[in-house]
Amino acid sequence: MSVIITLNDVYRAYRMGPERIMAVDGVSLEIEEGEICCLKGPSGSGKSTLLHLMAGLDRPSKGSIYIGKTRIDKLSENQLAVFRQRYVGFIFQSYYLIPTLTALENVALPLTFCGISKNKRIMKAKELLESVGLKDRMGHKPSQMSGGQQQRVSIARSFVNSPKVVFADEPTGNLDTATTYEMMDLMTNLAKESNQTLVIVTHDNEISGYASRIINIRDGKIEKIQNGRKMHHEKINAR
Ligand code: ADP
């Protein structure tokens, strides 16, 4: 198994007036290719900050972060933008779909910046939307879809550029339990096809059942690491 994400003694401080908040406080961690890692912990413990650092959406105050062999905290803003387009996918709690675009256009959008022809972009986006069960909703705008359907679109979008890692921040936070299981089945099955890695911030106990490892965070530190019931993309049957 090869390591896909490496954090070496990573810190992230925020300044709030005279106060200094250490949101991430000396975290070292290795995540292997094909893992499904959950970041768990109380609100304010630093999970989102940690996820954003790993995904190259934020930079550490101290320490180094690698995705594969690339040290991402040393990349320029432009290099980082290109790196994210090629290697990383995102799923957010509130979907962040573009309201004026159809499901198909939303999913095809990340490919616009990758030098892929329009026909190929549409083909790939259709393929992904089919695999998340939205063949009949491709022409719908986000406002014409349910929360679960919108999250399916955002899952399709996050996988469309065949990323190495998909990062998800509370992806099921706005969804009921049945839909949560559906979303997790979709994400883990898609990731399994190409041995992609999932890193998921969550409060949901249902989601932990899908994890290969659960990283418990408290006060910006790793409190403990539990092995989940699943090993890397073992046949998923979490319920
Ligand atoms: P979690 O995702 O576990 O709820 P966060 O990573 O969002 O935690 O936040 C960790 C800590 O950092 C909290 O104390 C939070 O208030 C603080 N924090 C997060 N973002 C900022 C910011 N942009 N400016 C100042 N403080 C922040």
Side-chain angles (χ1 to χ4, degrees), residues 94-113:
S94 41
Y95 325 130
Y96 287 139
L97 299 174
I98 297 181
T100 52
L101 299 183
T102 63
L104 187 63
E105 290 164 342
N106 266 289
V107 175
L109 193 63
L111 299 175
T112 312
F113 317 105

Side-chain angles (χ1 to χ4, degrees), residues 38 40 68 73 76 99 117 137 158 227:
C38 279
K40 281 189 91 173
D73 59 292
S76 70
S117 74
R137 296 288 186 280
S158 74
N227 285 324

Side-chain angles (χ1 to χ4, degrees), residues 23-232:
V24 173
D25 194 4
V27 168
S28 296
L29 178 66
E30 284 186 343
I31 297 176
E32 286 178 355
E33 224 169 341
E35 269 203 76
I36 300 168
C37 258
C38 279
L39 302 178
K40 281 189 91 173
S43 183
S45 57
K47 306 178 297 294
S48 297
T49 306
L50 192 57
L51 190 86
H52 290 176
L53 289 170
M54 288 187 209
L57 292 169
D58 188 15
R59 288 175 196 277
S61 313
K62 217 175 105 187
S64 57
I65 301 168
Y66 293 82
I67 294 193
K69 293 200 170 11
T70 306
R71 182 163 175 185
I72 59 167
D73 59 292
K74 288 289 185 202
L75 297 179
S76 70
E77 282 306 318
N78 281 345
Q79 288 171 322
L80 207 49
V82 171
F83 187 84
R84 285 195 305 257
Q85 279 157 22
R86 296 223 176 116
Y87 297 107
V88 170
F90 298 97
I91 301 167
F92 299 97
Q93 179 173 5
S94 41
Y95 325 130
Y96 287 139
L97 299 174
I98 297 181
T100 52
L101 299 183
T102 63
L104 187 63
E105 290 164 342
N106 266 289
V107 175
L109 193 63
L111 299 175
T112 312
F113 317 105
C114 296
I116 297 169
S117 74
K118 191 168 178 195
N119 278 349
K120 280 210 175 121
R121 295 202 297 263
I122 298 291
M123 247 170 57
K124 184 77 187 162
K126 278 187 176 165
E127 195 185 297
L128 259 302
L129 278 168
E130 275 191 46
S131 63
V132 299
L134 287 179
K135 196 172 177 217
D136 303 331
R137 296 288 186 280
M138 296 200 194
H140 281 55
K141 303 241 168 90
S143 62
Q144 298 165 326
M145 288 183 280
S146 70
Q149 288 170 338
Q150 289 182 63
Q151 195 58 304
R152 281 169 194 244
V153 175
S154 92
I155 290 170
R157 179 184 57 185
S158 74
F159 279 93
V160 78
N161 58 342
S162 310
K164 285 291 215 184
V165 189
V166 172
F167 294 96
D169 198 351
E170 301 267 10
T172 56
N174 287 333
L175 303 172
D176 59 55
T177 306
T179 315
T180 292
Y181 282 132
E182 261 176 46
M183 296 304 127
M184 286 309 297
D185 285 340
L186 280 176
M187 283 165 58
T188 50
N189 284 329
L190 280 169
K192 190 172 155 190
E193 280 171 26
S194 312
N195 200 34
Q196 286 148 313
T197 307
L198 291 176
V199 184
I200 307 169
V201 165
T202 186
H203 280 109
D204 289 347
N205 283 326
E206 292 93 355
I207 290 189
S208 313
Y210 288 83
S212 55
R213 273 195 304 168
I214 302 159
I215 321 284
N216 292 276
I217 310 288
R218 187 175 284 272
D219 298 330
K221 295 181 165 71
I222 295 178
E223 185 186 36
K224 65 176 173 189
I225 298 182
Q226 296 161 285
N227 285 324
R229 282 188 282 149
K230 303 294 143 206
M231 285 315 288
H232 308 45

